[in-house]
């Protein structure tokens, strides 16, 4: 129920959707003769669209999460296991064209292939089902497994969790899968969690609450610091999309805490 409700509510309450609906509401109010209300609502929506679409506000807001975990720096210590979160594929295009079509978070799959090569003794876990509300689609894990050779990965190199639909289920079902195969990380083992930098704070909080002790391996950064980041070559639509993504992560962090899926809003860094 939580999965379905979160999907449906986000269709309406994503910031960009709310602003477009506010503009439509302003037009309707104007037609109904409520000029003052129409002017106020329209001015608010238009100002917010300009602010989010043509200033670096969205980048700075997203950076509060992206900068939470530093890039992973390899050292002499071995890596015993890697957990890679789904979300890197364009599922519909991959299923239709029968070859890997990377989505906006495709860096996750690049990292999976790279880490599998660099740490040949490490256990590699990919967790990702299908987030589709309508229609029976193959899981993301199924599609990647069928095209695993494209990533340069030999058969049986990756263990797949295929049922999870969101990050909470990623954590819980990955734990159950590893437990069933007697592969749960030992206290001294070094395991990495691979996901987008923007998504890493929520992912780490959920996985630690599920019983994992992991190091962050963030990828897929959307922001850069300083003057260059403030003048990033990004369209207004791209900035609105980035603000939507950052707001979704903050809402997800709050919801996870309220539902008891995590122990704290933002986990302490180590």
């Amino acid at each position: 129920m939580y999965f379905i409700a979160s999907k449906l509510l986000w269709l309406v309450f994503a910031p960009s959707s709310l602003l477009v609906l506010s503009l439509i509401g302003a037009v309707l109010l104007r037609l109904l003769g409520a000029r003052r209300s129409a002017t106020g609502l329209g001015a608010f929506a238009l100002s917010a669209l300009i602010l989010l679409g043509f200033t670096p506000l969205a980048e700075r807001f997203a950076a509060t999460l992206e900068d939470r975990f530093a890039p992973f720096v390899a050292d002499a210590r071995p890596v015993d296991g890697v957990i890679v979160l789904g979300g890197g594929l364009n599922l519909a295009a991959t299923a239709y064209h029968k070859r890997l079509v990377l989505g906006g978070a495709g860096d996750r799959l690049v990292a999976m292939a790279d880490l599998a090569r660099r740490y040949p003794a490490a256990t590699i876990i990919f967790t990702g089902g299908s987030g589709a509300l309508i229609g029976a689609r193959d899981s993301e894990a199924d599609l990647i497994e069928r095209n695993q050779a494209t990533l340069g990965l030999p058969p049986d190199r990756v263990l797949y969790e295929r049922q999870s639909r969101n990050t909470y289920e990623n954590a819980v079902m990955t734990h159950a899968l590893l437990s069933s195969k007697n592969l749960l990380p030992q206290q001294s083992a070094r395991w990495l969690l691979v996901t987008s930098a923007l998504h890493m704070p929520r992912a780490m909080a959920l996985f630690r609450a599920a019983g994992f002790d992991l190091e962050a391996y963030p990828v897929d950064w959307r922001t850069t610091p300083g003057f260059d980041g403030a003048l990033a070559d990004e369209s207004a639509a791209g900035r609105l999309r980035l603000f939507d993504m950052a707001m979704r992560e903050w809402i997800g962090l709050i919801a996870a805490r309220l539902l008891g899926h995590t122990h704290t809003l933002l986990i302490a860094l180590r």
Side-chain angles (χ1 to χ4, degrees):
M1 185 62 182
Y2 169 75
F3 169 75
I4 295 174
S6 64
K7 287 284 187 179
L8 293 177
L9 288 172
W10 187 250
L11 291 176
V12 176
F13 291 103
S16 59
S17 298
L18 278 178
L19 292 175
V20 171
L21 290 173
S22 295
L23 288 174
I24 295 173
V27 172
L28 293 176
L29 287 171
R30 178 80 177 186
L31 293 175
L32 293 172
R35 293 187 176 182
R36 180 173 295 182
S37 297
T39 300
L41 184 60
F44 164 77
L46 186 59
S47 298
L49 284 170
I50 293 172
L51 185 65
L52 294 175
F54 295 97
T55 75
L57 179 62
E59 285 94 337
R60 300 285 67 83
F61 183 57
T64 62
L65 292 175
E66 286 206 333
D67 295 343
R68 185 77 182 162
F69 291 92
F72 178 81
V73 178
D75 53 30
R77 296 169 54 205
V79 170
D80 301 291
V82 178
I83 300 174
V84 183
L85 299 194
L89 278 191
N90 181 321
L91 294 180
T94 297
Y96 180 79
H97 295 289
K98 295 181 171 49
R99 62 186 63 196
L100 289 183
V101 180
L102 300 186
D107 289 4
R108 302 180 192 185
L109 298 181
V110 175
M112 180 173 75
D114 179 49
L115 289 169
R117 175 187 58 80
R118 282 198 282 151
Y119 301 105
T123 301
I124 309 293
I125 314 292
F126 178 87
T127 169
S130 172
L133 282 176
I134 301 174
R137 289 184 179 177
D138 293 323
S139 72
E140 188 171 359
D142 291 333
L143 294 172
I144 291 173
E145 185 175 28
R146 291 175 199 164
N147 298 276
Q148 191 168 296
T150 303
L151 297 171
L153 297 171
D156 301 324
R157 181 66 183 93
V158 181
L159 180 63
Y160 291 97
E161 183 285 304
R162 309 171 190 274
Q163 303 303 318
S164 57
R165 301 169 298 173
N166 55 36
T167 312
Y168 170 69
E169 292 183 359
N170 286 151
V172 172
M173 293 182 178
T174 298
H175 192 280
L177 176 63
L178 290 174
S179 179
S180 70
K181 295 182 177 295
N182 199 30
L183 290 173
L184 280 175
Q186 301 301 310
Q187 189 171 7
S188 60
R190 187 188 197 189
W191 280 60
L192 309 180
L193 180 65
V194 177
T195 191
S196 301
L198 187 62
H199 181 52
M200 186 61 78
R202 182 157 60 103
M204 286 290 283
L206 287 164
F207 270 79
R208 286 188 181 172
F212 288 99
D213 185 13
L214 306 170
E215 291 184 39
Y217 192 100
V219 296
D220 181 35
W221 286 271
R222 305 301 179 94
T223 67
T224 53
F227 186 73
D228 289 341
L231 298 178
D233 185 16
E234 184 65 87
S235 66
R239 284 198 168 101
L240 285 171
R241 171 63 176 158
L242 180 60
F243 187 79
D244 278 354
M245 293 168 64
M247 183 61 74
R248 185 173 186 173
E249 289 303 319
W250 277 109
I251 292 173
L253 280 164
I254 295 169
R257 184 69 190 97
L258 292 176
L259 291 168
H261 293 167
T262 59
H263 301 316
T264 184
L265 183 64
L266 283 174
I267 62 174
L269 301 182
R270 290 187 288 175

